[in-house]
Amino acid sequence: MLTFFSDSHHAHAPQYEFFRGERVPCFETPARAEYVKARLSERGHVLQTPDADSRVVLAKVHSARYLAFLEHAWRDWVQLEAGNEARQPFPSVWPVRTLRSDVEPLNFTARLGLYSMDNGSPLSAGTWYAAKAGADAAASAAALLTAGERAVFCCSRPPGHHAGPDFMGGYCFLNNAAVAAQALRDGGAARVAVLDVDYHHGNGTQSIFYDRADVLFVSLHGDPMTEYPFYLGHADETGMGEGAGFNLNLPLPAGCTAARWFEALEAACLRIAAFKAHALVVSLGLDTFAGDPISKFALQPDDFIRLGERLGKLGLSTVFVLEGGYAAAELGTNAVNVIEGFEGC
């Protein structure tokens, strides 16, 4: 399967994050994509540099002021105070509920909180550069599908599915799956399905398409009553306005078996088939692996082959976008298993 990969992902390399109250090394590291790249190369998959500019599509899935903030955030942070180039900025205040979010403050920390859903997305000097390269890969993949390619894999990081119309979160800054879906629509696909199989609900993708009937969003994930991102991903969220009925969440309890997970996958695939989608975007989170350090499902490497086989049977032109998965050494094997399971159908 043709794969888009860019060395630009190395530019996003924050040193630490906060996890359960402790300062720890980042789980989302450049090594993740490198493990996948190595395994792809070993198995003979063709790697190509993205060649599309995603700016036009980004403007359709993210707000203009959010994109402007993100592109210049590191510059603004460094200019704020001497020595900031050696520090990582984290938000410390958020405009919750009755507080206003329509006015963009001048204060950098206030703006960082305005555009963040949590403090789990540390910035570094090359964050925009790396995230933009991932969005370019998604747009490039959509262009190839529009031209007749059956499937393309985007081996990119940072991930994207927690990034909403005007906020970052959960290691995500630009929503690559949403970029791919919108680019497919712009390319002539009347109906596009987005399937999110990450352990964590793709709240950003849901938010972007929640009132639209042309993009179906389906997600199977850890129950938000106990699992991040907590505030979205419940079964009663089915869309609004024109999008009513075009959002399907299949939350599962932490620790659920592979058998139960595949039952949910089957329900997801049946809904996609009923939608009569013209193309599919898969938010390929691989943190459902039993050995993942921050997730609680029980899939084994062979289960990812089975996942790919089931998606292949949908018979749809498909963009795969790498999302989560933090057992870095196993990430490459699990990703390739999905791809080769898909190709075998």
Side-chain angles (χ1 to χ4, degrees):
M1 184 182 297
L2 179 62
T3 296
F4 282 113
F5 177 87
S6 172
D7 285 326
S8 301
H9 80 88
H10 283 283
H12 176 66
Q15 297 300 304
Y16 66 90
E17 63 178 279
F18 292 98
F19 182 66
R20 296 173 182 166
E22 300 289 337
R23 175 172 159 163
V24 299
C26 289
F27 289 102
E28 204 291 296
T29 67
R32 297 177 61 249
E34 292 301 321
Y35 277 116
V36 179
K37 175 188 177 185
R39 188 60 176 153
L40 287 164
S41 297
E42 288 172 9
R43 298 298 293 265
H45 294 273
V46 179
L47 275 65
Q48 184 171 315
T49 302
D51 56 3
D53 185 345
S54 59
R55 283 186 181 271
V56 171
V57 187
L58 281 169
K60 297 181 180 181
V61 298
H62 293 293
S63 73
R65 70 175 193 174
Y66 171 63
L67 291 172
F69 169 78
L70 189 60
E71 184 171 4
H72 303 296
W74 187 257
R75 179 204 65 186
D76 294 347
W77 168 247
V78 169
Q79 291 178 352
L80 189 63
E81 185 177 334
N84 271 3
E85 67 275 2
R87 306 185 184 109
Q88 289 180 199
F90 288 90
S92 58
V93 60
W94 292 267
V96 300
R97 287 171 280 284
T98 60
L99 303 184
R100 292 184 65 176
S101 60
D102 59 313
V103 178
E104 185 182 59
L106 297 177
N107 179 279
F108 177 84
T109 301
R111 284 186 287 131
L112 184 58
L114 176 66
Y115 296 120
S116 300
M117 63 173 274
D118 59 20
N119 72 343
S121 303
L123 293 166
S124 66
T127 295
W128 168 261
Y129 184 60
K132 173 63 163 50
D136 289 348
S140 299
L144 284 180
L145 258 64
T146 299
E149 194 77 24
R150 184 194 180 206
V152 180
F153 174 49
C154 297
C155 179
S156 53
R157 58 164 294 277
H161 70 149
H162 295 308
D166 58 358
F167 61 83
M168 65 185 80
Y171 309 139
C172 302
F173 302 91
L174 298 175
N175 196 308
N176 301 322
V179 167
Q182 184 61 54
L184 286 164
R185 284 286 295 111
D186 293 347
R191 292 182 298 279
V192 178
V194 179
L195 173 63
D196 194 318
V197 295
D198 194 280
Y199 180 79
H200 306 96
H201 177 253
N203 60 289
T205 315
Q206 173 173 308
S207 297
I208 289 168
F209 297 118
Y210 201 61
D211 61 354
R212 289 174 55 170
D214 58 334
V215 178
L216 170 72
F217 178 68
V218 181
S219 177
L220 47 155
H221 51 269
D223 190 334
M225 290 298 290
T226 61
E227 308 306 306
Y228 183 92
F230 305 115
Y231 307 113
L232 216 60
H234 298 279
D236 64 352
E237 298 158 11
T238 58
M240 64 180 296
E242 292 183 3
F246 294 95
N247 194 92
L248 174 63
N249 286 325
L250 298 164
L252 296 165
C256 86
T257 64
R260 185 166 180 184
W261 190 88
F262 276 101
E263 288 176 1
L265 177 66
E266 187 61 25
C269 289
L270 291 174
R271 179 66 184 92
I272 291 167
F275 180 60
K276 300 187 185 305
H278 293 98
L280 173 66
V281 177
V282 179
S283 272
L284 188 60
L286 298 162
D287 46 4
T288 51
F289 174 57
D292 194 273
I294 61 173
S295 304
K296 302 170 186 175
F297 284 168
L299 271 64
Q300 299 295 331
D302 286 351
D303 289 320
F304 293 103
I305 299 174
R306 182 180 171 190
L307 166 60
E309 290 172 344
R310 182 63 184 93
L311 297 181
K313 290 176 182 176
L314 287 170
L316 295 171
S317 299
T318 303
V319 175
F320 291 92
V321 178
L322 184 64
E323 300 284 4
Y326 306 100
E330 294 85 357
L331 191 63
T333 296
N334 294 337
V336 170
N337 282 355
V338 174
I339 289 168
E340 294 186 349
F342 181 92
E343 290 185 316
C345 290

